[in-house]
Every structure is written in structure tokens, then in C-alpha cells.
Amino acid sequence: MSRWKALPGELDPRVRQLVVRLRRLKDHSGLSLRQLAAKTGYSASSWERYLGGRSLPPREAVEAMARIGGDDPTRLLALHEVAAEAWGEGRTGTSAPEGPDAPNAPEASEATEATGTADTADAAGAAHTVEVVGALQAAGADDTGPYNLAAPDEETRHGRSLRVALVAGAVALVLAVSSAVLLAVRLSDGDSRASATPLGSATSSLSPSPSPSGPRTYACEVERIDGRWYAGNSRTRDAVLAEGLAGPEVAEAQCLLRRAGFAPGVVDGIFGPHTKSAVEQLQKRAGLVVDGIIGRHTWGALRR
């Protein structure tokens, strides 16, 4: 079993569980980083960053790892979607995941593109306004100002008034077009966010926070079925659980931790510090990687 370096402490739990799953698949494949690079098209240094939590792997790299490790690509890609969302929230302004041919190419989200377009429209409108104001100033009086004591003749006054009217009309037109473009971009941004589909059933049962009505408690009806322990809250054997998640799968793990002689705290379905500490104690006793994250091997130790 590989001895991995500890992941950065500030790494989001949703990104952490993706990295932990990729590490386990790499260990399961038995490949070195160079061999992994040869099979996936992503360099060894890129995989070192992906597996070290310093860079988010692209979707294609995650799918390639799933095929090599014999895992379900659908579930792993669902974890990647959650991690990508967390990565975008926590690292605004940094570079996006790398690809094999363009390591530093940014991969912006649809919402970011819409916002960037709106900002461009604002800047364009401001530039047009500055140009028009300059034209107004050019069409105005000379250095003596509009209150020059030398009264111009009627033809000069008429020509100047016409130029001012034309420039003012251009200003109004530019402002109207800029406002219309900006409004259209804002509306399209709102529609794209409203039409975003939720994640699949692989992660729908995991909620990042407890119900607004208050913490819920779960019953532990522990029984042994076909040589495995179950507590009546979930029958999963491979759901990835980490600190900050909540749901019946967490409650199932808390009940089984109690059965194994570890104290996860109140069985409320919330993966908190007490639950993480109990998981680490179980992993240490079972000879697993001690990372405080429940995966397929930790579930095996809980069910046995």
C-alpha cells in the first residue's frame, strides 16, 4: 500500500474525497506515475499534482483513471462534478484543471462566461460614453468657452446646435443599446443558472448541512445479514463520506462505529469531528489508510 503525503488542510472535503478515490484507484492499478502517464496521456507531473490535491484533474483524466482502476466512471464523474463546483467556489481567479496538450488552459464555467460577458458589455458601454463625451467637448466652444463675448453669427449658431443635437442623439442611442445588451446578458445568465440540472442519485442523498428544522436523530437497529452488519439506515457499501456531509449513509456509519466500540457522538446523520475521529480509530485498528474518510475499504471494515 502506497504511503501518500497528507492532503492540504485547507482542501475542501468535496475535492478531498475525489482525490482520495483517485489515490485508491492508482494503488489498486499498481501503476507508477510514469506508467499512468503513458496510459492516460497526462504527464507524470500532472498526476502528481492531481493526486496531491494541488490541482483539479480534468474530466477526461478522471474517466481514464476509472477505466484503469476498474471503477464505475459514472459515480467517479459525479464526484468530479461536486469537486469542480467546490474548486470554483474556493479558488476564484486561479487557473482551471489542466489538459494533456494545454496544461494551463482555463476551463471557465457557464456562469463565469456570462458574468464576463456582462462585464465586457459594461466596459464597452463606458468606452462608447467616453468617446461621445469627447465628441461633445469637441463640438462645444473654443478655449474661451461657450460664453465667449464675441457673439457668433446665426449660421454658426445653427451649425453648432445641429452638431450638439446629433452628438446628444448618438449618446442616447449608445446608452440604450448598452443597456439592452447588458439586460439581455443578465437575463441569459439567470436562465442558465435556473436551468442547471441537479446531480444524479449518486450524490443526491448527501446534504452538506442539516435540515433547517433542527438536527435529526436516527435509530440504530443493528442486525447481521449474510455475514455483514446493518443498522437499518442504509445498505450502501461504497458511498464516499467525509467531514461536512450529512444523510442516512452517515447515520448508518455512526451506528456501525458504535457497534464496533468507537464513539461517533450523537447518531444524527452529520459527519462531524467526533465521527471523523471514530473513523480514524477504526481505520487504524483495521490497518487501513488513516484519512478519516469512509470509502469502500472502510465500509468493509464496518460491515464485517
Side-chain angles (χ1 to χ4, degrees):
M1 182 178 296
S2 300
R3 301 303 301 176
W4 294 99
K5 293 183 180 179
L7 293 173
E10 68 275 9
L11 195 64
D12 190 280
R14 291 169 287 183
V15 180
R16 182 184 296 271
Q17 62 179 319
L18 173 64
V19 174
V20 170
R21 177 61 69 91
L22 292 175
R23 285 182 171 187
R24 290 175 178 169
L25 289 176
K26 192 264 184 186
D27 289 342
H28 180 71
S29 69
L31 299 176
S32 66
L33 289 178
R34 291 184 179 274
Q35 293 170 331
L36 191 60
K39 286 182 174 289
T40 62
Y42 293 83
S43 66
S45 60
S46 295
W47 276 114
E48 185 177 1
R49 288 192 297 274
Y50 302 156
L51 298 174
R54 292 182 284 118
S55 181
L56 185 67
R59 181 185 179 90
E60 292 77 9
V62 173
E63 190 172 5
M65 177 66 87
R67 290 196 303 269
I68 292 173
D71 200 1
D72 180 13
T74 302
R75 179 172 184 81
L76 200 60
L77 290 175
L79 292 177
H80 179 267
E81 288 188 43
V82 176
E85 181 180 357
W87 191 273
E89 292 172 358
R91 304 200 175 199
T92 303
T94 60
S95 61
E98 306 172 10
D101 297 326
N104 296 319
E107 183 179 338
S109 66
E110 184 178 351
T112 306
E113 290 175 358
T115 305
T117 306
D119 293 339
T120 303
D122 290 341
H128 283 300
T129 304
V130 171
E131 292 175 2
V132 172
V133 170
L136 276 173
Q137 293 175 348
D142 55 7
D143 291 342
T144 60
Y147 301 104
N148 191 356
L149 295 177
D153 57 24
E154 183 178 353
E155 183 178 354
T156 302
R157 287 198 304 269
H158 178 71
R160 181 175 297 171
S161 299
L162 181 60
R163 288 197 301 272
V164 171
L166 289 175
V167 173
V171 170
L173 180 61
V174 169
L175 292 178
V177 171
S178 300
S179 300
V181 171
L182 180 60
L183 179 61
V185 171
R186 297 295 188 191
L187 289 176
S188 64
D189 181 28
D191 291 342
S192 65
R193 291 179 181 178
S195 61
T197 56
L199 292 177
S201 58
T203 57
S204 61
S205 62
L206 299 181
S207 168
S209 60
S211 171
S213 60
R216 175 183 173 184
T217 57
Y218 292 82
C220 294
E221 300 177 359
V222 179
E223 58 180 340
R224 193 166 179 82
I225 302 174
D226 296 332
R228 294 186 177 90
W229 291 102
Y230 294 92
N233 294 304
S234 173
R235 299 183 68 85
T236 183
R237 286 190 285 171
D238 59 0
V240 178
L241 305 178
E243 188 174 7
L245 298 178
E249 288 85 358
V250 178
E252 177 79 3
Q254 289 173 329
C255 291
L256 296 179
L257 284 167
R258 277 191 173 184
R259 188 210 65 80
F262 303 102
V266 179
V267 180
D268 53 5
I270 302 174
F271 202 123
H274 295 296
T275 302
K276 180 179 179 181
S277 176
V279 171
E280 291 173 344
Q281 295 175 40
L282 171 71
Q283 291 172 333
K284 184 176 181 180
R285 188 180 72 179
L288 302 175
V289 176
V290 180
D291 55 8
I293 298 175
I294 300 177
R296 180 178 300 174
H297 297 293
T298 306
W299 275 117
L302 287 170
R303 297 291 189 195
R304 287 198 297 268

